[in-house]
Amino acid sequence: MYRTSFDHLSSAAPPRAHRLRQRLARHLAPLVGYGLVAAGCGATIPDISPFAGATASLYEGMELVGSETSRQLAPLTTPIECPASAPAAESGGHEPSPAPTTAGASTAAGEETETQGRPRTSPQTCFERLWTPRVVTLAAFAAYAERLAQITSTADSDDQAQAAMSAVESLLGELSVPALPSALTDTARQALAAWRREQAAKRLADVVARASPHVDRLAQVLLADLDDTRALLVLTRSKLRLDRVSAHNDELSLRRSLERRRRALIVQVEQSVTASGTTPANAGPSGGEVLAELERIQALLAALPSEDSLTPSGIDTALAAIDAGARALTAWRDAHARLAEALTQQRTPSLHRLQAATQLLRRVLDLPHP
């Protein structure tokens, strides 16, 4: 089962990923031959297990995005201001906050300080707080898609519609828990209340069609949350870079001075070669002296930090993965919206865009294709 709890992000270990890949392989098997599943009264219900498989792939990919980003952020121990809406901070039960320390005091990774009432923690801890509920939400999406795939294998169409109604209610209920971000839980609770007022549908396609607007709104909230997480990483990268540049200001000033001198010497060498028509070393006594000075400058530059070298590594990779994940989630939302139409027309849903997006996500993470 997909876990919708807050205790698994940092422990995303290879065994679970292996189990997910096995489940994914089972779901994707029908892609080879898109069969149709017989239903009551001679009708045919398309096999939508490929949709469940693609959703499982999205969930696995986004879970690994979180694990990889957390690993990349681990070396960055400079405390940052973590948004107060980070779920672990506001839920009060999943991750207790340590007692505040003196404002501005240095901390070890993961520990918190408080500056003017705003919590400060390591980039890794803050990211995990923000990312975990995103994974929980995708786990709920994956479980929902798997339930729909299982429903299509039942024989009675009335049972299919009722089971699908229950699957949608389970999805909305799982996302209504207080531990998740308020924007998501508010949307899910409103959708759940509206869903419970829905009259029972007689066809599976009608259930999915009615669920699509609710699922679309939930996906939109999650996409907005991904934008917030991305913005946090961009700000973290900028802040850490500025802090490092400030700490090495003297060396960087010397580097800029040496680079200006090097450019002037290179121009001098080029002019000397043009005038004499020979190599720099043979362009008179000054030519050899200029080359010797250039070598000394190069040796000094090699020992000095550059602004590029002070930019935190790993965050760019994390940003690319988050962008790929957002594209995959958008493709999943659109695929779900088209699912009802495919069920109504008794044809296999088109998943090409979703599959391409999940494959891109795996490439960004440098994972083999399933």
Side-chain angles (χ1 to χ4, degrees), residues 240-324:
L240 293 176
R241 181 178 179 276
L242 288 173
D243 289 346
R244 293 180 179 185
V245 167
S246 178
H248 295 273
N249 190 55
D250 291 342
E251 293 105 316
L252 292 173
S253 295
L254 176 58
R255 183 180 189 89
R256 287 190 288 269
S257 177
L258 290 172
E259 288 175 341
R260 286 194 296 270
R261 176 60 179 165
R262 181 177 60 177
R263 287 193 294 270
L265 290 174
I266 290 173
V267 170
Q268 182 178 337
V269 168
E270 291 174 346
Q271 292 174 345
S272 177
V273 169
T274 301
S276 63
T278 183
T279 62
N282 297 323
S286 61
E289 294 174 359
V290 168
L291 290 179
E293 185 176 357
L294 279 172
E295 290 178 358
R296 289 194 298 271
I297 290 175
Q298 191 61 38
L300 289 171
L301 289 174
L304 291 171
S306 66
E307 291 194 11
D308 288 341
S309 69
L310 296 176
T311 300
S313 61
I315 293 184
D316 286 340
T317 300
L319 290 171
I322 288 176
D323 290 343

Side-chain angles (χ1 to χ4, degrees), residues 117-132:
R118 294 187 298 270
R120 293 173 63 85
T121 187
S122 71
Q124 182 189 44
T125 300
C126 184
F127 171 79
E128 289 182 354
R129 287 181 173 181
L130 291 170
W131 193 255
T132 300

